[in-house]
Amino acid sequence: MTYTLADLPMLGGLDDGRLRGLEALARRRRYPAGQVLCTEGDPAEHLVVLLDGRVKAGRVSAEGKEVVLAVEAAPVAFDKTALLVDGPHRATRTALTAVEVAYLPRSTVLELVAAEPSVAARLLRTLAATVRDLDERLTDAAVRDVPSRVATWLVRRCAGGRVPLHAGQAGLGAEIGATRVSVNRALRGFERRGLIEIRTRRRIVRRAGARTLEK
């Protein structure tokens, strides 16, 4: 499904006239899987809006190893904080599937936030949710074991009983601060207990209820 700018949470309250104006200023592009949409450290001169497809956010460690921070699906806008403070992109976003994106100039976004209180309020809620999610992930990594973190990850992302692993088990591990080996061990343990079924390396079917899986 291809979304529009109106589907983006921070723009959901705008009237049709304002949305048409944004659409006219946006530069829309389609890219194949593997395309880099923005690079860590580069200036955030545009708000990059994912309208279709899935993207992974990653950073490179001092040893040159990629760390996957998240896998994001449309509709979503990247690096809103960097745009507001005139900073660089905090991660490299790479298309996992064919994608469609829209680029909104930074000046346009800042003018919109200043002129539309509803956009500013929605943006604050979005940023607060991001901070809360990061806080939960850091707490999980500090105090919970790997099976507990894997169970929480599966429950949060379950859709119709199926959980796609778009970045594989290594990507799941990177998101929760664990190695691929420890993630695989946790998943196999759940499978032996009949809580999940690993159909392929890229998809898991959850058989248990949320409470059972997280115990």
Side-chain angles (χ1 to χ4, degrees):
M1 177 179 180
T2 299
Y3 293 91
T4 66
L5 292 180
D7 295 304
L8 198 66
M10 64 179 282
L11 303 180
L14 293 179
D15 60 48
D16 290 342
R18 178 72 82 169
L19 285 170
R20 284 195 295 271
L22 291 177
E23 291 279 0
L25 293 172
R27 178 167 54 91
R28 299 177 70 138
R29 295 288 186 273
R30 290 183 178 273
Y31 298 113
Q35 176 71 40
V36 173
L37 305 182
C38 58
T39 303
E40 176 188 358
D42 283 355
E45 297 174 345
H46 295 81
L47 182 69
V48 185
V49 182
L50 182 65
L51 301 174
D52 188 30
R54 291 182 180 271
V55 168
K56 69 175 179 180
R59 303 186 74 176
V60 178
S61 69
E63 294 77 24
K65 180 181 179 181
E66 182 190 34
V67 177
V68 178
L69 302 176
V71 174
E72 299 163 298
V76 64
F78 306 136
D79 279 357
K80 295 177 284 293
T81 304
L83 202 73
L84 293 174
V85 300
D86 194 19
H89 288 294
R90 301 291 295 168
T92 296
R93 259 78 180 192
T94 306
L96 290 174
T97 65
V99 298
E100 181 176 1
V101 297
Y103 297 92
L104 275 171
R106 178 174 182 268
S107 58
T108 298
V109 177
L110 294 181
E111 289 171 4
L112 181 66
V113 171
E116 297 283 350
S118 65
V119 173
R122 288 170 179 267
L123 178 58
L124 284 174
R125 286 197 293 270
T126 300
L127 294 176
T130 300
V131 172
R132 181 184 59 195
D133 180 65
L134 178 59
D135 180 68
E136 290 176 354
R137 288 173 59 184
L138 290 174
T139 300
D140 286 348
V143 304
R144 303 181 70 187
D145 60 20
V146 173
S148 296
R149 281 180 264 161
V150 171
T152 299
W153 190 96
L154 291 173
V155 170
R156 287 175 178 171
R157 286 159 178 77
C158 178
R162 290 175 172 79
V163 185
L165 295 178
H166 297 288
Q169 294 181 14
L172 191 164
E175 286 194 59
I176 65 172
T179 66
R180 187 198 64 78
V181 172
S182 60
V183 167
N184 181 266
R185 188 181 299 118
L187 291 174
R188 294 300 177 185
F190 293 149
E191 189 174 41
R192 286 193 298 271
R193 292 163 57 192
L195 302 177
I196 64 171
E197 178 183 350
I198 303 175
R199 293 282 179 86
T200 68
R201 295 178 62 186
R202 297 287 181 178
R203 187 178 62 172
I204 294 172
V205 177
R206 204 185 82 202
R207 290 179 169 177
R211 290 184 179 178
T212 304
L213 185 57
E214 291 188 297
K215 286 181 179 179

